[in-house]
Amino acid sequence: MALLPILRYPDPRLHTKAQPVAKVDDAIRTLIADMAETMYEAPGIGLAASQVNVHQRIVVIDVSEDKSGLLALINPEIIERSGEQVCEEGCLSVPGIYDKVSRAEKVRVRALNQQGERFEFDAEGLLAVCVQHELDHLDGKVFVEYLSALKQNRIKGKLAKKARITA
């Protein structure tokens, strides 16, 4: 397993739309293992392949307290949405920035597992937020794009300043 570099907003590669995985094979399973290790190390609760500059429709999520609930989703899609919730979100590609985003309260998700088998599950609360956030990444959207243009510009400025200080 290997730690993967995470793209930082406003890197234009974060806006690349991910392509469906054609075949679930050992290379995909290795990528999932590397993504999970990267997510845990960051630390985070979700990571889309787009964030590590791999533009395939793959997401890893673990909202458990003890890192025992890893969920790997290949070619995920939301097939039902209901309700509304507003949660404070953060993102590994936008470090140190948190803001409120409105999302569906409950979602039904269809995806492939690591054996290439189709499955569906219902998610609500934090898991529903995380699924929607990560699927946005696969569609080339970062959570800060739900915020006002003023907030987006402030975030870009703050991250540019932080990059200059650490460089």
Side-chain angles (χ1 to χ4, degrees):
M1 294 196 306
L3 291 177
L4 305 169
I6 298 172
L7 299 178
R8 305 289 178 162
Y9 180 80
D11 191 310
R13 294 173 291 180
L14 288 168
H15 298 293
T16 304
K17 189 168 172 58
Q19 299 303 306
V21 172
K23 180 182 177 197
V24 179
D25 56 16
D26 286 342
I28 295 297
R29 286 185 278 277
T30 298
L31 174 61
I32 288 169
D34 291 346
M35 287 174 58
E37 183 179 4
T38 302
M39 174 187 71
Y40 289 132
E41 180 70 23
I45 60 171
L47 186 67
S50 301
Q51 292 177 270
V52 293
N53 202 29
V54 176
H55 301 287
Q56 292 189 287
R57 297 190 71 80
I58 303 169
V59 165
V60 293
I61 295 172
D62 190 344
V63 296
S64 70
E65 291 289 325
D66 61 358
K67 300 179 182 178
S68 66
L70 181 65
L71 190 57
L73 307 175
I74 302 167
N75 296 338
E77 57 183 323
I78 294 172
I79 55 177
E80 289 177 29
R81 299 173 191 264
S82 64
E84 184 179 336
Q85 62 180 327
V86 176
C87 287
E88 187 167 86
E89 294 186 25
C91 180
L92 296 177
S93 290
V94 193
I97 304 297
Y98 302 89
D99 214 317
K100 290 182 173 25
V101 177
S102 177
R103 300 211 185 254
E105 182 179 19
K106 296 179 181 177
V107 293
R108 180 146 188 87
V109 181
R110 178 182 300 142
L112 300 177
N113 65 20
Q114 293 188 62
Q115 288 70 49
E117 302 160 338
R118 179 175 285 191
F119 71 106
E120 292 184 10
F121 67 96
D122 295 310
E124 58 184 276
L126 180 60
L127 180 57
V129 168
C130 195
V131 166
Q132 293 169 84
H133 177 111
E134 299 309 331
L135 268 61
D136 274 354
H137 278 299
L138 299 181
D139 292 330
K141 188 169 188 175
V142 180
F143 92 98
V144 296
E145 293 169 40
Y146 287 98
L147 308 178
S148 69
L150 177 63
K151 281 188 176 182
Q152 288 181 49
N153 285 332
R154 282 186 184 156
I155 290 166
K156 286 177 187 173
K158 190 175 185 178
L159 293 175
K161 182 179 179 183
K162 187 188 264 185
R164 284 193 302 274
I165 291 169
T166 59

